[in-house]
Amino acid sequence: MKKKLISIGLVLTMILSFAACNAKTNTNSADKKYTIGICQSAQHPALDAATKGFMDAVNEAMPGQVTFDNQNASGDINQCGVICTGFVANNVDLILANATPSLQAAATATVDIPILGTAVTEYGVALEIPDFNGTVGGNISGTADLAPLDQQAAMVKEFFPEAKNVGILFCSAEPNSKYQADVVKTELEKNGLQVKLYTFADSNDVSAVTALACSENDVLYIPTDNTAATCAQAINNIAETANVPIIAGEESICRACGVSTLTIDYYELGRTTGQMAVEILKGEKEISSMPIQYFENPIKKVNADKIKTFGLSIPEGYVEIEK
């Protein structure tokens, strides 16, 4: 009987020891600290919202576990490279690449650290992947901010049925802008419009190129373009004087200078990216098998001030952009 009691005691001790070890392991897992490097290519409302959404989602899921090294390249593509190289040197656990230049810089800097892009229009174009199937593979995934371009093109005729000539204005340094411009040009030409592309190299020649485009066209279209977004007020000053309306690829550009847009919610896009980061850091998913995610329900919006300026009515299904 005594031996039996000793045996039972040993079994209980083993069970309790295992439970204690398991609890310790779980505690350590919950207490593990991570560092995420954030490279945002430029300062403007859409990208700011994506970064905030990302950080909010991560903090909600992993409170107190993540430190963010949040850096902004202020529109300098070379600085994106410097920032991402620094993240690699500091051995961060994950990199958020906010916008295409940041994604390209991060992809060049490391093939080991997980990279999540956000506010990237087309990953196949940005990373030069032929026949892109929706999953990058390797150490890269993320979210895209591409709204249906055919529906954006249709807004030109919807708001300005008498227009004959359309200028598409974008930054030549942004490959995703060129992609959007080509798609929209094709769609507009299907509707019998004459279309010409106008490119600026950087913020220094935005005004001159915009003035030329306004002088030659009835309407302008500006795709989702980081440089255009940071220069949207300068574009507005010229287009407003020339009385030329603009259809925009995203909300922040439209708020500054456009009549209408089909846009996504960048804060929610950032939150989706943050949720992906949590799954990676917790070991729940492998980044190599995570497909690019898209915003499912883009919203038709108008700039009420521009609607009034051009004497237009707001069509059914549109909402006003909040000022």
Side-chain angles (χ1 to χ4, degrees):
M1 182 68 178
K2 186 175 180 181
K3 288 183 178 179
K4 188 174 181 181
L5 288 172
I6 292 171
S7 298
I8 293 171
L10 287 171
V11 170
L12 288 172
T13 300
M14 290 173 66
I15 292 171
L16 290 170
S17 296
F18 177 79
C21 289
N22 193 46
K24 185 177 181 182
T25 300
N26 288 338
T27 300
N28 289 341
S29 175
D31 288 344
K32 186 174 180 181
K33 304 298 183 183
Y34 302 91
T35 299
I36 295 178
I38 299 176
C39 179
Q40 183 174 318
S41 69
Q43 191 93 36
H44 70 76
L47 301 188
D48 294 347
T51 293
K52 186 176 189 307
F54 175 85
M55 294 174 68
D56 285 352
V58 172
N59 282 330
E60 287 170 17
M62 305 175 71
Q65 286 187 257
V66 178
T67 299
F68 298 98
D69 184 356
N70 188 3
Q71 299 192 44
N72 196 302
S74 300
D76 185 340
I77 292 175
N78 293 329
Q79 186 62 23
C80 289
V82 172
I83 292 169
C84 290
T85 300
F87 290 157
V88 175
N90 292 331
N91 197 30
V92 299
D93 297 290
L94 185 142
I95 295 172
L96 173 70
N98 191 341
T100 300
S102 298
L103 176 68
Q104 293 170 326
T108 300
T110 179
V111 295
D112 299 313
I113 296 172
I115 299 167
L116 287 175
T118 194
V120 175
T121 304
E122 173 54 53
Y123 283 74
V125 174
L127 299 173
E128 298 182 349
I129 304 172
D131 303 318
F132 180 58
N133 65 5
T135 301
V136 176
N139 66 323
I140 298 173
S141 188
T143 57
D145 62 356
L146 183 64
L149 296 173
D150 57 338
Q151 294 180 42
Q152 290 186 358
M155 288 180 175
V156 173
K157 276 290 188 182
E158 183 177 15
F159 284 92
F160 306 102
E162 303 302 319
K164 293 181 174 57
N165 297 290
V166 179
I168 300 181
L169 182 69
F170 63 97
C171 179
S172 58
E174 298 190 33
N176 276 323
S177 297
K178 177 67 164 59
Y179 168 79
Q180 295 171 81
D182 288 342
V183 173
V184 171
K185 181 175 185 289
T186 299
E187 292 296 326
L188 292 171
E189 288 174 341
K190 287 178 184 178
N191 290 322
L193 292 160
Q194 297 294 315
V195 184
K196 185 175 178 180
L197 306 184
Y198 298 82
T199 62
F200 46 87
D202 52 37
S203 59
N204 294 320
D205 58 345
V206 167
S207 295
V209 175
T210 302
L212 176 61
C214 287
S215 70
E216 296 179 346
N217 294 281
D218 307 310
V219 180
L220 299 185
Y221 169 79
I222 302 176
T224 301
D225 181 289
N226 295 315
T227 308
T230 58
C231 299
Q233 192 55 55
I235 292 171
N236 178 69
N237 294 341
I238 294 164
E240 193 170 68
T241 300
N243 200 38
V244 175
I246 295 171
I247 303 297
E250 58 92 8
E251 184 173 338
S252 69
I253 297 175
C254 191
R255 180 183 289 108
C257 65
V259 171
S260 69
T261 185
L262 180 66
T263 190
I264 69 163
D265 186 324
Y266 279 85
Y267 176 80
E268 291 301 327
L269 190 75
R271 286 190 64 87
T272 298
T273 320
Q275 290 158 6
M276 295 172 75
V278 170
E279 292 172 331
I280 293 165
L281 294 177
K282 288 186 174 182
E284 296 171 355
K285 288 189 178 178
E286 288 290 334
I287 191 170
S288 61
S289 62
M290 297 173 77
I292 302 303
Q293 297 193 37
Y294 295 81
F295 190 79
E296 294 183 355
N297 299 300
I299 307 161
K300 290 182 174 182
K301 293 191 174 185
V302 295
N303 180 333
D305 292 340
K306 295 296 183 184
I307 290 289
K308 183 178 179 180
T309 296
F310 292 102
L312 303 169
S313 299
I314 300 176
E316 186 178 349
Y318 284 80
V319 296
E320 293 184 17
I321 294 173
E322 294 181 4
K323 296 296 185 181

